Amino acid sequence: MHKVRSSLVAAVVASLGLGLSAQQAPPAGQQPQEIRVTMPRPDGTRADGPVVQIPRTPVVDQAAHDRGRAIWARECVDCHGTQARGGDGGGPNIIRTTTVNFDRSAQVAGSVLGPFLKAGHKTQSGTPSASFTDADVVALAHFLRQRVNDTMRGSALFTVGDILVGDRAAGEAYFNGAGKCATCHTSTSKSLAGIGKRIPAPVDIQQRMLFPGAGPGRGRGPAAAAAATPGPNAVTATVTPPTGPAVSGVLLEQSDFFVTLRLADGSVRAVRKAPGTTVTTTNPLQAHIDLLDVITDTQIHDLVAYLESLK
Ligand code: HEC
Ligand code: HEC
């Protein structure tokens, strides 16, 4: 039976050109996983295919994952949410999509996500996704692998207690010291006062800390920016043409040729990027995005233990 399944996996995988080796034995302690493959019908629509076993748990490279998380915060989180399960910017849950699942199963991270992004996909900054480097794609792929792993039974996200492994005092010291959190927050200022009571699950505190403003109605992201009264965390931009006055407003969209802004009077204006035009953007949450490049897991856990104690 196992043999039959394995050769089925090999056939399906080979037909997708993913190069996954079904011969490879699962590493000790790692159970095969079942996924349902969708098959193209002759008329071009897709039908549910067989449930197949993928004989290895994809490895998540932690360093690549962390780089991916920073790219995710910059380019994807507003639409797809912190967990890739959908966000208020109109992006769907992508955990079960073919692209994410096959990439997760592929031997080389990014080998399915890469072509998807090369073909062109939306980004928050307007940077064409086709221009992402191979390293960027691999990093995003590792980040998404972990998001899928997090939906599996037994992951830390579902055993919430596991997240409270940090040292509260070390978290407080980092908050007031090297983490520079205290340059913007205090334990009693509006964002953080009573956060441990307001947000009972430590995992949610962690998500809010790593991706502030990304939750529903949090005043960030394309949907929030497009609203007539943008939230306080909306990204703003100033466009300065070579001649004539500068224009400032909430950044709605940016392409190679245009910057679209919502002006203070509520009107929407697309400004052409004539040669010599400069665009400066201000993101009130930039410090949090930068944080993702430097913070370690230990510091994250310590901070969550500290924030959780603010009741
Ligand atoms: C402006 C909103 C927006 C942004 C930003 C965005 N996406 Fe999407 N994404 C969507 C929508 C909408 C879909 C649904 C299919 C479509 O319209 O392309 C989607 C679909 C996907 C899919 C599913 C493909 C499939 O197999 O069905 C993946 C994977 C994906 N996005 C990854 C990303 C990544 C990675 C980023 C950041 C680099 C990103 N997205 C940024 C809106 C967005
Ligand atoms: C440059 C200013 C700045 C720095 C530095 C900064 N933050 Fe923030 N932080 C913000 C802003 C702005 C928000 C968004 C306000 C909001 O949504 O409540 C925010 C939101 C948060 C939230 C979410 C609050 C909520 O209720 O959802 C947490 C948690 C948080 N920050 C923790 C930290 C920690 C921990 C550090 C240090 C590692 C830090 N911040 C550093 C500006 C900053």
Side-chain angles (χ1 to χ4, degrees), residues 75-76 79-80 90 92 94 97 99-100 116 121-124 132:
E75 302 292 6
C76 325
C79 287
H80 291 297
I94 56 171
T97 60
T99 307
V100 171
F116 171 77
H121 188 61
K122 307 168 183 78
T123 57
Q124 282 164 210
F132 286 7

Side-chain angles (χ1 to χ4, degrees), residues 180-181 183-185 191-192 198 208 212 218 233 285 287-288:
K180 301 202 183 95
C181 317
T183 58
C184 295
H185 299 287
S191 300
L192 302 189
R198 187 160 41 91
R208 289 278 192 94
R218 302 283 301 157
N233 300 328
L285 297 169
H288 275 265

Side-chain angles (χ1 to χ4, degrees), residues 260-286:
T260 310
L261 302 173
R262 180 180 292 282
L263 308 188
D265 64 8
S267 63
V268 173
R269 174 113 153 249
V271 187
R272 203 170 75 81
K273 285 186 184 167
T277 301
T278 58
V279 181
T280 52
T281 57
T282 309
N283 184 345
L285 297 169
Q286 191 58 44

Side-chain angles (χ1 to χ4, degrees), residues 24-45:
Q24 196 177 329
Q30 296 188 2
Q31 295 304 311
Q33 284 173 340
E34 296 200 330
I35 62 164
R36 182 179 292 284
V37 176
T38 63
M39 299 298 209
R41 290 203 193 97
D43 66 359
T45 60

Side-chain angles (χ1 to χ4, degrees), residues 8 15 19 22 39 42 127 158 169 194 196 250 298:
L8 182 57
S15 71
M39 299 298 209
T127 306
F158 290 96
V250 171
T298 308

Side-chain angles (χ1 to χ4, degrees), residues 108-304:
V108 180
S111 53
V112 182
L113 185 64
F116 171 77
L117 292 174
K118 285 278 177 257
H121 188 61
K122 307 168 183 78
T123 57
Q124 282 164 210
S125 69
T127 306
S129 65
S131 72
F132 286 7
T133 65
D134 289 350
D136 291 345
V137 171
V138 169
L140 279 167
H142 280 283
F143 174 81
L144 286 172
R145 283 182 170 192
Q146 186 58 49
R147 301 290 74 72
V148 179
N149 288 353
D150 281 349
T151 66
M152 304 288 166
R153 228 190 294 260
S155 94
L157 269 186
F158 290 96
T159 43
V160 159
D162 291 1
I163 260 188
L164 270 186
V165 295
D167 175 339
R168 188 198 160 281
E172 181 169 13
Y174 182 77
F175 185 94
N176 291 311
K180 301 202 183 95
C181 317
T183 58
C184 295
H185 299 287
T186 71
S187 61
T188 54
S189 62
K190 199 170 137 257
S191 300
L192 302 189
I195 191 170
K197 203 179 204 171
R198 187 160 41 91
I199 308 177
V203 63
D204 293 333
I205 296 182
Q206 178 171 309
Q207 288 310 311
R208 289 278 192 94
M209 177 179 85
L210 295 178
F211 302 103
R218 302 283 301 157
R220 183 182 167 201
T229 44
N233 300 328
V235 177
T236 56
T238 297
V239 186
T240 312
T243 56
V247 190
S248 299
V250 171
L251 179 64
L252 297 180
E253 208 178 326
Q254 179 164 197
S255 70
D256 289 347
F257 308 107
F258 286 97
V259 184
T260 310
L261 302 173
R262 180 180 292 282
L263 308 188
D265 64 8
S267 63
V268 173
R269 174 113 153 249
V271 187
R272 203 170 75 81
K273 285 186 184 167
T277 301
T278 58
V279 181
T280 52
T281 57
T282 309
N283 184 345
L285 297 169
Q286 191 58 44
H288 275 265
I289 295 173
D290 295 345
L291 184 65
L292 295 175
D293 285 331
V294 296
I295 196 163
T296 66
D297 270 8
T298 308
Q299 286 160 346
I300 290 174
H301 290 145
D302 292 349
L303 279 171
V304 171

